[in-house]
Amino acid sequence: MIQRSSKLIAGNGQNVLERSLLKFRNVLNFAPFNPGERFRMIVRPKVRGFICTTAHSAGCAQNIKDQIEYVRRHGPINGPKRVLVIGASTGYGLASRIVSAFGSGASTIGVFFEKPAEGERTATAGWYNSAAFEVEARKAGLYSKSFNGDAFSDQIKAQVVQAIRKDLGQVDMVIYSLAAPRRVHPKTGERFKGVVKPLGKAFKNRALDLETFEIIDVTTEPGTEEERKQTVAVMGGEDWEMWIETLKKEGVLADKSLTLAYSYLGPDITFPIYRQGTLGAAKDHLEATAHKLDETLRPKGGRAFVSVQKALVTQASAAIPLMALYMVILLKVMRQKGVDEHCIQQIHRLYQDRLFSGREIPVDEKGRIRLDDLELRNDVQAEVKQSWEAITTENFKDYADISAYQNDFLRLFGFEVPGIDYEKDVEVDVPIP
Ligand code: NAI
């Protein structure tokens, strides 16, 4: 169960004096006396609304190992060998980096925006994930380099170009998997903020209160034209296009390269809040950008696609509270039918069955790759709809799998991972090598 107010607990691995000295040195920015001398403590989940403010380094590392193991078990994939992943530390981007590296033996460069540990404050999960990824990639003899910074900025783009030129020459695949709440435009300095709102008219529907597990009625007022524009500026395709144009201009994008961004469609019941709302407008822009990029890359044999993925519990999707009711119902239906997938299964299937199967890449009537086939299967959606209509606070458990949701949520932060002893001290200030 989620513990909502538990604190980080200093374990027995270090006494109070040692911890104070270490903390003091950290504050003054002194290097530790020796590399083994890092903060260790018991770390527990600390959940605030839809975010967990702590992360468990050993749990995150185990998550990475489990995903690598899944990919290895399913055999090699004949994919590109030099891959850039933008948004590489969690969710779909992380899974893309893992499948590229451990499925296709690719050298990878990952870009993300995460926080390292500071004193007793743990790093973010994406930081620990990336540290563990780097360790595993090196063990496997694979090149990997990580950039922690704002992917929207010209500065990070320039650093990545330099690294590609120096270490890889060029990249043959670019995955764009950012999910960000805000963006500062690199040319104008304008600040944009994304919102999740319907457009045109208010959306009145039932939703799940994740604090009390009650079904509540929620009315969300429509977003303004300004909010729509700002959400498109954050989550649309402008920055993706900027990345591709920069890589092309600098000569570090190989001919016949492939670029991909992820989108979501969903069923009718979530349309007003997602696909027909501000976020949907951003996805429309992302999909239009895919067509534009495809046209510019095709003359040299390159391709650009959007891939429509399944709804999954990730840090980005957990931040959309109105989606939670749909998610807990969907989880129950898909698990009962044995067709549920996590990020790694989704991306592995994308690579193996769609992108690198040796056949032409299958797309829908709008040119999109579809990995939401199981989520949108008629029998799955028919049951989801029935549950959606029948569910109340009283009969909640009959129609929703809240423990699966909680488990998926906590695992994002390295908690409830099988094989991890959460009563033991764990390293907190883990470096990304
Ligand atoms: P996530 O929250 O797990 O990952 C987001 C990534 O973006 C992280 O690596 C984060 O560090 C990075 N990031 C955020 N702001 C950044 C910045 N300014 N600079 C550099 N890196 C930054 O998100 P998730 O769910 O994997 O989403 C990725 C894409 O997949 C999004 O476009 C999302 O709309 C799409 N998608 C997600 C679905 C879901 O249910 N989770 C379903 C279908 C598509």
Side-chain angles (χ1 to χ4, degrees), residues 64 67-68 71-72 75-77 79-85 93-110 132-134 136-138 140-145 173 175 344 347-348 351 356:
I64 298 293
Q67 293 189 57
I68 292 172
V71 173
R72 283 194 167 132
I77 295 170
K81 300 289 181 261
R82 299 168 299 178
V83 178
L84 167 63
V85 183
L94 171 65
S96 308
R97 192 177 193 189
I98 291 174
V99 177
S100 293
F102 294 91
S104 309
S107 301
T108 61
I109 293 184
F133 175 88
E134 290 280 350
E136 296 302 323
R138 276 159 212 214
L142 293 165
Y143 169 95
S144 69
K145 196 164 226 165
M173 181 159 165
I175 304 277
I344 198 70
I347 299 298
H348 189 268
Y351 276 50
F356 311 116

Coordinates of all heavy atoms in Angstrom, one line a residue, residues 64 67-68 71-72 75-77 79-85 93-110 132-134 136-138 140-145 173 175 344 347-348 351 356:
I64 N 15.6 -1.9 -14.3 CA 16.4 -1.8 -15.5 C 16.8 -3.2 -15.9 O 16.7 -3.7 -17.0 CB 17.6 -0.9 -15.3 CG1 17.2 0.5 -15.1 CG2 18.6 -1.0 -16.5 CD1 16.5 1.2 -16.2
Q67 N 14.0 -5.3 -17.3 CA 13.7 -4.9 -18.7 C 14.7 -5.5 -19.7 O 14.4 -6.0 -20.7 CB 13.5 -3.4 -18.8 CG 12.4 -2.9 -18.0 CD 12.1 -1.4 -18.3 OE1 11.9 -1.0 -19.5 NE2 12.1 -0.6 -17.3
I68 N 16.0 -5.4 -19.3 CA 17.1 -5.9 -20.1 C 16.9 -7.4 -20.3 O 17.0 -7.9 -21.4 CB 18.5 -5.6 -19.5 CG1 18.7 -4.1 -19.6 CG2 19.6 -6.3 -20.2 CD1 20.0 -3.6 -18.8
V71 N 14.3 -8.2 -22.8 CA 14.7 -8.0 -24.2 C 15.6 -9.1 -24.6 O 15.5 -9.7 -25.7 CB 15.4 -6.6 -24.3 CG1 16.0 -6.4 -25.7 CG2 14.4 -5.5 -24.0
R72 N 16.6 -9.5 -23.7 CA 17.5 -10.6 -24.1 C 16.8 -11.9 -24.3 O 17.2 -12.6 -25.2 CB 18.5 -10.7 -23.0 CG 19.6 -9.6 -23.0 CD 20.8 -10.0 -22.1 NE 21.9 -9.1 -22.3 CZ 22.6 -8.5 -21.3 NH1 22.3 -8.8 -20.1 NH2 23.6 -7.8 -21.6
G75 N 15.5 -12.5 -27.9 CA 16.4 -12.7 -29.0 C 16.7 -11.3 -29.7 O 16.1 -10.3 -29.4
P76 N 17.7 -11.4 -30.6 CA 18.2 -10.1 -31.2 C 17.2 -9.5 -32.2 O 16.4 -10.2 -32.8 CB 19.5 -10.5 -31.9 CG 19.4 -12.0 -32.1 CD 18.5 -12.5 -31.0
I77 N 17.3 -8.2 -32.4 CA 16.4 -7.5 -33.4 C 17.4 -6.8 -34.3 O 18.4 -6.2 -33.9 CB 15.6 -6.5 -32.6 CG1 14.6 -7.2 -31.7 CG2 14.8 -5.5 -33.6 CD1 13.8 -6.2 -30.8
G79 N 18.0 -4.0 -35.7 CA 17.6 -2.6 -35.7 C 18.9 -1.7 -35.9 O 20.0 -2.2 -36.0
P80 N 18.7 -0.4 -35.9 CA 19.9 0.5 -36.1 C 20.9 0.4 -35.0 O 20.6 0.1 -33.9 CB 19.2 1.9 -36.1 CG 17.8 1.7 -36.3 CD 17.5 0.3 -35.8
K81 N 22.1 0.8 -35.3 CA 23.2 0.6 -34.4 C 23.7 1.9 -33.7 O 24.5 1.9 -32.8 CB 24.4 0.0 -35.1 CG 24.1 -1.3 -35.7 CD 24.0 -2.4 -34.7 CE 23.7 -3.8 -35.3 NZ 22.3 -4.2 -35.3
R82 N 23.1 3.1 -34.1 CA 23.5 4.3 -33.4 C 22.2 5.1 -33.2 O 21.6 5.6 -34.1 CB 24.5 5.1 -34.3 CG 25.8 4.4 -34.6 CD 26.6 5.0 -35.7 NE 25.8 5.1 -37.0 CZ 26.3 5.7 -38.1 NH1 27.5 6.3 -38.1 NH2 25.6 5.7 -39.2
V83 N 21.8 5.1 -31.9 CA 20.5 5.6 -31.6 C 20.5 6.8 -30.6 O 21.2 6.7 -29.6 CB 19.6 4.5 -31.1 CG1 18.2 5.0 -30.7 CG2 19.5 3.3 -32.1
L84 N 19.8 7.9 -30.9 CA 19.6 9.0 -30.0 C 18.2 8.9 -29.4 O 17.2 8.9 -30.2 CB 19.8 10.3 -30.7 CG 19.4 11.6 -30.0 CD1 20.2 11.8 -28.7 CD2 19.6 12.8 -31.0
V85 N 18.1 8.9 -28.1 CA 16.8 8.9 -27.5 C 16.6 10.2 -26.7 O 17.3 10.4 -25.7 CB 16.5 7.7 -26.6 CG1 15.1 7.7 -26.0 CG2 16.8 6.4 -27.3
G93 N 10.5 6.2 -23.5 CA 11.9 6.6 -24.0 C 12.9 5.6 -23.4 O 13.8 5.1 -24.1
L94 N 12.8 5.4 -22.1 CA 13.7 4.4 -21.5 C 13.6 3.0 -22.1 O 14.6 2.4 -22.4 CB 13.4 4.4 -20.0 CG 14.1 3.3 -19.2 CD1 15.6 3.6 -19.1 CD2 13.6 3.2 -17.7
A95 N 12.4 2.6 -22.3 CA 12.2 1.3 -22.9 C 12.8 1.3 -24.3 O 13.4 0.3 -24.8 CB 10.7 0.9 -23.0
S96 N 12.7 2.4 -25.1 CA 13.3 2.5 -26.4 C 14.8 2.3 -26.3 O 15.4 1.7 -27.2 CB 12.9 3.8 -27.1 OG 11.5 4.0 -27.0
R97 N 15.4 3.0 -25.3 CA 16.8 2.9 -25.2 C 17.3 1.5 -24.9 O 18.3 1.0 -25.4 CB 17.3 3.9 -24.1 CG 18.8 4.1 -24.1 CD 19.2 5.1 -23.1 NE 20.6 5.5 -23.3 CZ 21.4 6.2 -22.6 NH1 20.9 6.7 -21.4 NH2 22.6 6.5 -22.9
I98 N 16.5 0.9 -24.0 CA 16.9 -0.5 -23.6 C 16.7 -1.5 -24.8 O 17.6 -2.3 -25.0 CB 16.0 -1.0 -22.4 CG1 16.4 -0.1 -21.2 CG2 16.2 -2.4 -22.1 CD1 15.5 -0.4 -19.9
V99 N 15.7 -1.4 -25.5 CA 15.5 -2.3 -26.7 C 16.5 -2.0 -27.7 O 17.1 -3.0 -28.3 CB 14.0 -2.2 -27.3 CG1 13.9 -3.1 -28.5 CG2 13.0 -2.6 -26.2
S100 N 16.9 -0.8 -28.0 CA 17.9 -0.4 -29.0 C 19.2 -1.1 -28.5 O 19.9 -1.7 -29.3 CB 18.1 1.1 -29.1 OG 17.0 1.7 -29.6
A101 N 19.6 -0.8 -27.3 CA 20.9 -1.3 -26.8 C 21.0 -2.8 -26.7 O 21.8 -3.5 -27.2 CB 21.3 -0.6 -25.5
F102 N 20.0 -3.4 -26.0 CA 20.1 -4.8 -25.6 C 19.4 -5.7 -26.6 O 19.7 -6.9 -26.6 CB 19.7 -5.0 -24.2 CG 20.6 -4.3 -23.2 CD1 20.3 -3.0 -22.8 CD2 21.7 -4.9 -22.7 CE1 21.2 -2.4 -21.9 CE2 22.6 -4.3 -21.9 CZ 22.3 -3.0 -21.4
G103 N 18.6 -5.1 -27.5 CA 18.0 -5.9 -28.5 C 18.8 -5.9 -29.8 O 19.0 -6.9 -30.5
S104 N 19.2 -4.7 -30.1 CA 19.9 -4.5 -31.4 C 21.4 -4.2 -31.3 O 22.1 -4.0 -32.2 CB 19.3 -3.3 -32.2 OG 17.9 -3.4 -32.3
G105 N 21.9 -4.2 -30.1 CA 23.4 -3.9 -29.8 C 23.8 -2.5 -30.2 O 24.9 -2.3 -30.6
A106 N 22.8 -1.6 -30.1 CA 23.1 -0.2 -30.5 C 23.9 0.6 -29.5 O 23.8 0.4 -28.3 CB 21.8 0.5 -30.8
S107 N 24.7 1.5 -30.0 CA 25.3 2.6 -29.2 C 24.2 3.6 -28.9 O 23.5 3.9 -29.9 CB 26.4 3.3 -29.9 OG 27.4 2.3 -30.3
T108 N 24.0 4.0 -27.7 CA 22.9 5.0 -27.5 C 23.4 6.3 -26.8 O 24.3 6.2 -26.0 CB 21.8 4.3 -26.6 OG1 22.4 4.0 -25.3 CG2 21.2 3.1 -27.2
I109 N 22.7 7.3 -27.2 CA 22.9 8.6 -26.5 C 21.5 8.9 -25.9 O 20.5 8.9 -26.7 CB 23.4 9.7 -27.4 CG1 24.8 9.4 -27.8 CG2 23.3 11.1 -26.7 CD1 25.5 10.5 -28.7
G110 N 21.4 9.2 -24.6 CA 20.2 9.5 -24.0 C 20.1 10.9 -23.5 O 21.1 11.4 -22.9
A132 N 21.7 3.2 -13.7 CA 21.8 1.7 -13.9 C 21.9 1.3 -15.3 O 22.6 0.4 -15.6 CB 20.5 1.1 -13.3
F133 N 21.2 2.1 -16.2 CA 21.4 1.7 -17.6 C 22.8 1.8 -18.0 O 23.4 1.0 -18.7 CB 20.5 2.7 -18.5 CG 20.7 2.4 -20.0 CD1 20.0 1.5 -20.6 CD2 21.7 3.1 -20.7 CE1 20.2 1.2 -22.0 CE2 22.0 2.8 -22.0 CZ 21.2 1.9 -22.7
E134 N 23.5 2.9 -17.7 CA 24.9 3.1 -18.0 C 25.8 2.0 -17.5 O 26.6 1.5 -18.3 CB 25.4 4.5 -17.5 CG 24.8 5.7 -18.1 CD 25.5 6.0 -19.5 OE1 26.5 5.5 -19.8 OE2 24.9 6.9 -20.2
E136 N 24.9 -1.1 -16.8 CA 24.6 -2.4 -17.6 C 25.1 -2.3 -19.0 O 25.6 -3.3 -19.5 CB 23.1 -2.6 -17.6 CG 22.5 -2.9 -16.2 CD 23.1 -4.1 -15.4 OE1 23.4 -5.1 -16.1 OE2 23.3 -4.0 -14.2
A137 N 25.0 -1.1 -19.6 CA 25.5 -1.0 -21.0 C 27.0 -1.2 -21.0 O 27.5 -1.9 -21.9 CB 25.1 0.4 -21.6
R138 N 27.7 -0.6 -20.1 CA 29.1 -0.8 -20.0 C 29.5 -2.3 -19.8 O 30.4 -2.8 -20.4 CB 29.8 0.1 -19.0 CG 30.0 1.5 -19.6 CD 30.1 2.5 -18.5 NE 29.6 3.7 -19.1 CZ 30.1 4.9 -18.8 NH1 31.1 5.1 -18.0 NH2 29.5 6.0 -19.4
A140 N 28.0 -4.7 -20.7 CA 27.7 -5.5 -22.0 C 28.6 -5.0 -23.1 O 28.5 -5.5 -24.3 CB 26.2 -5.3 -22.4
G141 N 29.5 -4.1 -22.8 CA 30.4 -3.6 -23.8 C 29.8 -2.7 -24.9 O 30.2 -2.5 -26.0
L142 N 28.7 -2.0 -24.4 CA 27.9 -1.1 -25.4 C 28.3 0.3 -25.1 O 28.3 0.7 -23.9 CB 26.4 -1.3 -25.2 CG 25.8 -2.7 -25.6 CD1 24.4 -2.8 -25.0 CD2 25.8 -2.8 -27.1
Y143 N 28.5 1.1 -26.1 CA 28.7 2.6 -25.9 C 27.4 3.2 -25.4 O 26.3 2.9 -26.0 CB 29.1 3.2 -27.3 CG 29.1 4.7 -27.2 CD1 30.2 5.4 -26.9 CD2 27.9 5.4 -27.4 CE1 30.2 6.8 -26.9 CE2 27.9 6.8 -27.4 CZ 29.0 7.5 -27.1 OH 29.0 8.9 -27.1
S144 N 27.5 4.1 -24.4 CA 26.3 4.8 -24.1 C 26.8 6.1 -23.4 O 27.8 6.2 -22.7 CB 25.4 4.1 -23.1 OG 26.0 3.9 -21.9
K145 N 26.0 7.2 -23.7 CA 26.3 8.5 -23.1 C 25.0 9.2 -22.7 O 24.1 9.1 -23.5 CB 27.1 9.3 -24.1 CG 27.8 10.5 -23.5 CD 28.8 11.1 -24.4 CE 30.1 11.4 -23.7 NZ 31.3 11.6 -24.5
M173 N 19.0 6.5 -35.9 CA 17.6 6.5 -35.4 C 17.5 7.6 -34.3 O 18.4 7.7 -33.5 CB 17.3 5.1 -34.9 CG 15.9 5.0 -34.3 SD 15.4 3.3 -34.3 CE 14.0 3.3 -33.3
I175 N 14.7 8.8 -31.5 CA 13.4 8.6 -30.8 C 13.1 9.8 -30.0 O 13.9 10.3 -29.2 CB 13.5 7.4 -29.8 CG1 13.9 6.1 -30.5 CG2 12.2 7.2 -29.0 CD1 12.9 5.4 -31.2
I344 N 8.1 -1.9 -21.8 CA 9.1 -2.7 -22.5 C 8.5 -3.7 -23.5 O 9.0 -3.9 -24.6 CB 10.1 -3.4 -21.4 CG1 11.4 -3.9 -22.1 CG2 9.4 -4.6 -20.7 CD1 12.3 -2.8 -22.5
I347 N 7.4 -1.5 -26.5 CA 8.4 -1.1 -27.4 C 9.1 -2.3 -28.1 O 9.5 -2.2 -29.3 CB 9.5 -0.2 -26.6 CG1 8.7 1.0 -26.1 CG2 10.6 0.2 -27.5 CD1 8.1 2.0 -27.1
H348 N 9.2 -3.4 -27.4 CA 9.8 -4.6 -28.0 C 9.0 -5.0 -29.2 O 9.5 -5.3 -30.3 CB 10.0 -5.7 -27.0 CG 10.7 -6.8 -27.5 ND1 10.2 -7.9 -28.1 CD2 12.1 -7.1 -27.5 CE1 11.1 -8.7 -28.5 NE2 12.3 -8.3 -28.1
Y351 N 9.5 -2.7 -32.1 CA 10.7 -2.9 -32.9 C 10.6 -4.2 -33.7 O 10.9 -4.2 -34.9 CB 11.9 -3.0 -31.9 CG 12.5 -1.7 -31.5 CD1 11.7 -0.6 -31.0 CD2 13.9 -1.5 -31.6 CE1 12.3 0.6 -30.6 CE2 14.5 -0.3 -31.2 CZ 13.7 0.8 -30.7 OH 14.3 1.9 -30.3
F356 N 11.3 -3.3 -37.5 CA 12.4 -4.1 -38.1 C 12.1 -5.6 -38.3 O 12.9 -6.5 -38.1 CB 13.6 -4.0 -37.1 CG 13.9 -2.5 -36.7 CD1 13.8 -2.1 -35.4 CD2 14.2 -1.6 -37.7 CE1 14.0 -0.8 -35.1 CE2 14.4 -0.3 -37.4 CZ 14.3 0.1 -36.0

